[in-house]
Amino acid sequence: MLHKVITESFGVAIHALNTPQLTDGVINRSKRMMLDTLGVGLLGTSTAVFNKALKYCQMFMSEERSSVWGKAESRLPPYYAAFVNGIAVHSMDFDDTWHPATHPSGAVLPALLALAETLPKQPSGLDLLLAFNVGIEVQGRLMRFSREAYNIPERFHPPSVVGVMGSAAASAKLLGLSPSQCSHALAIAASSAGAPLANTATQTKPLHIGNAARRGLEAAQLAQTGLEGNPAILDMNCGFGVYYRDYSPSAMAESASSSFKWILEDQDVAIKRIPAHLGMHWVVDAALAAREKLENALGNFPLSQIQQITLRVPPSKYINCPLPASEHQARHSFQFNACSALLDNKVTVASFSEAQINRPALKELLSKVKVETPQDNLPSFDTMYAEVEIETNQEQTYAARCDTFYGHWRKPLSHRDLVEKFSLNASSVLCTEGVEGVIDVIGNMERVSECSILGSYLRMTSSPHEALYSTGVL
């Protein structure tokens, strides 16, 4: 007889959680995550990887059609809309990061919005918030089954493993599946989990998020039809445990019990200021501080006088890239991000263009970088630090250290700065009314009667009237 206590507890909790259990803290944090995810997703529709995926997905047709963010004339079958919108979210590595390490929102929100458009009864804003938080919660619970998951990953990309499970749980919640169906949705999703870390720093990495969103949605809808998987998938080392060498699962507390508490209540996400791997934020802030010290001492930034740049960072092979040749490698390079910050006194979306990457001055700086990995600098987004030390040919040194960057969960972005990030990203695609409409809907999500209004604003790429007409709102 299968021992399935843990999997059953997840199925029961996914089914039973309800909107009165959403606390103000969880609602506010999840709305910030939604706004940021939509902004980076809209910006991501300009990338090559998104447009290649969109061209591929346009070959598929179905009676049910869901919106492609930032594309007023494009609608796709729900699975493929979830896929391309998920790709857009992660196409620049600009989406949120959690602890233990994963990108939680991009696997869940594209699936929910694609599904919501196809339901006969439109979910309310509270329904969307609940399903979103169920998807986030399941990811958080699963990652806590392993101490290994707390570190910067070494073997697989976490959203491809926990993200697809979160998407399945969130979609199952929005579909109103039974406890047993919710458990089977997780089991089905587990057979679509996993992506090797070797594909980071390539165009394939954003597909990890797109696939998680799509395959989780598919798993929930397959479970709805009666398809079954292993009802003990979370209980077994040869089930979900295959991904962790120290797998130690535990049951999910009953949602009605006093012991239930949302993980997001205590563990906030990091929201990025630059479109790059989270680890880059420490090295950029340290580089900017070291540059400021040098400028204050010498009156300028004398590129020709720099003899060596030393970076002291955690050991992590996939973000130690001395000479990046593409934007995706640059987003995963301690060296590139430190040198860009030193050279330009900033790192922005434009920093990762081909022209910027290939600048002779930048390549000259890169040739002077030495990387050290101190034993006390562990590969964890909760404890890591970065030091940048600049040595001149006059044997003067200017050093700075970053322990917590602005945007980290210990030092969260202000609401004003979050809205500014969203507005800058979204305005590259949407008209002013579309940008303001998304901000307003997300800000009042718990009071919105039909969450489909969000989709109408996400399609306002030209005149508001034309966009609303094309979505059937007018």
Side-chain angles (χ1 to χ4, degrees):
M1 183 181 226
L2 285 175
H3 184 72
K4 53 184 181 178
V5 173
I6 292 164
T7 310
E8 279 188 348
S9 75
F10 273 68
V12 168
I14 292 167
H15 170 79
L17 284 164
N18 54 59
T19 52
Q21 291 172 279
L22 291 171
T23 65
D24 289 344
V26 164
I27 287 174
N28 289 333
R29 284 183 172 176
S30 55
K31 289 195 299 185
R32 285 167 58 87
M33 293 160 72
M34 286 181 170
L35 187 67
D36 186 55
T37 300
L38 293 172
V40 299
L42 287 163
L43 180 65
T45 62
S46 65
T47 61
V49 61
F50 167 83
N51 284 289
K52 288 175 182 177
L54 178 60
K55 184 177 180 181
Y56 163 75
C57 291
Q58 286 170 333
M59 296 189 297
F60 301 94
M61 302 289 290
S62 75
E63 290 183 8
E64 292 183 332
R65 313 286 280 173
S66 298
S67 299
V68 178
W69 303 349
K71 301 288 182 182
E73 302 304 320
S74 292
R75 294 178 74 81
L76 292 172
Y79 302 142
Y80 291 101
F83 179 62
V84 297
N85 290 333
I87 288 171
V89 168
H90 198 56
S91 60
M92 292 185 178
D93 219 321
F94 212 177
D95 47 327
D96 58 21
T97 303
W98 212 12
H99 179 69
T102 196
H103 305 285
S105 300
V108 172
L109 190 58
L112 289 177
L113 293 184
L115 174 60
E117 289 188 69
T118 69
L119 296 177
K121 182 179 183 299
Q122 272 296 304
S124 68
L126 263 179
D127 293 332
L128 183 68
L129 281 167
L130 177 62
F132 178 81
N133 276 289
V134 166
I136 301 302
E137 182 71 15
V138 164
Q139 293 179 74
R141 299 268 174 172
L142 293 176
M143 288 187 295
R144 281 160 175 77
F145 290 175
S146 165
R147 292 305 305 174
E148 180 186 346
Y150 283 74
N151 297 328
I152 296 175
E154 296 179 348
R155 296 179 296 121
F156 59 82
H157 192 207
S160 70
V161 173
V162 296
V164 69
M165 306 294 276
S167 171
S171 300
K173 186 64 187 177
L174 203 61
L175 286 167
L177 300 192
S178 70
S180 175
Q181 288 173 320
C182 290
S183 295
H184 285 300
L186 294 178
I188 297 164
S191 281
S192 293
L197 207 60
N199 268 329
T200 57
T202 74
Q203 283 190 329
T204 296
K205 189 190 181 195
L207 272 64
H208 299 170
I209 300 288
N211 278 324
R214 170 190 172 185
R215 297 299 187 185
L217 172 55
E218 285 180 331
Q221 293 198 307
L222 286 167
Q224 187 180 37
T225 70
L227 191 78
E228 296 182 348
N230 191 314
I233 196 71
L234 301 182
D235 299 75
M236 305 170 71
N237 285 333
C238 64
F240 195 72
V242 298
Y243 297 104
Y244 301 101
R245 289 169 289 212
D246 59 347
Y247 190 63
S248 181
S250 57
M252 193 165 173
E254 290 185 21
S255 58
S257 74
S258 58
S259 61
F260 180 83
K261 187 175 185 181
W262 300 96
I263 289 174
L264 188 60
E265 191 88 63
D266 292 326
Q267 179 61 64
D268 201 358
V269 298
I271 292 179
K272 298 178 178 180
R273 302 188 338 268
I274 60 174
H277 182 277
L278 192 72
M280 305 305 110
H281 289 66
W282 279 271
V283 80
V284 165
D285 280 12
L288 292 173
R291 178 195 160 110
E292 184 179 15
K293 290 182 179 180
L294 185 151
E295 280 190 307
N296 288 341
L298 304 182
N300 63 355
F301 183 72
L303 183 62
S304 61
Q305 294 182 34
I306 294 176
Q307 183 168 314
Q308 182 171 279
I309 301 164
T310 302
L311 311 181
R312 299 185 181 95
V313 293
S316 182
K317 291 179 181 178
Y318 83 104
I319 45 179
N320 181 355
C321 183
L323 296 170
S326 70
E327 62 164 301
H328 298 284
Q329 290 179 357
R331 299 183 200 281
H332 294 77
S333 168
F334 281 129
Q335 297 90 329
F336 175 86
N337 284 274
C339 289
S340 290
L342 290 174
L343 187 60
D344 303 325
N345 204 23
K346 61 183 178 181
V347 176
T348 68
V349 170
S351 301
F352 300 90
S353 69
E354 185 177 353
Q356 294 294 95
I357 292 170
N358 291 319
R359 288 178 293 169
L362 181 65
K363 290 188 173 183
E364 181 186 347
L365 268 188
L366 284 169
S367 71
K368 300 176 180 181
V369 174
K370 180 177 75 168
V371 173
E372 296 178 354
T373 54
Q375 287 189 347
D376 69 335
N377 201 353
L378 302 177
S380 164
F381 293 139
D382 200 44
T383 61
M384 68 170 281
Y385 64 87
E387 289 180 353
V388 175
E389 184 178 285
I390 308 168
E391 183 180 344
T392 70
N393 52 21
Q394 303 297 313
E395 297 186 349
Q396 297 164 307
T397 59
Y398 304 90
R401 170 171 166 149
C402 176
D403 290 296
T404 305
F405 65 86
Y406 180 48
H408 190 271
W409 44 83
R410 289 193 297 271
K411 195 185 291 186
L413 286 188
S414 68
H415 178 70
R416 178 178 177 177
D417 287 344
L418 174 64
V419 170
E420 182 181 1
K421 177 189 173 182
F422 170 81
S423 299
L424 285 171
N425 290 338
S427 62
S428 67
V429 179
L430 302 183
C431 66
T432 301
E433 187 166 343
V435 173
E436 293 175 351
V438 173
I439 293 170
D440 182 62
V441 171
I442 294 293
N444 294 284
M445 183 58 75
E446 65 271 42
R447 293 176 286 277
V448 171
S449 59
E450 292 190 359
C451 66
S452 60
I453 187 64
L454 185 60
S456 67
Y457 287 118
L458 289 170
R459 293 164 62 84
M460 280 191 184
T461 55
S462 50
S463 74
H465 182 85
E466 179 184 341
L468 287 169
Y469 184 82
S470 69
T471 59
V473 175
L474 293 179

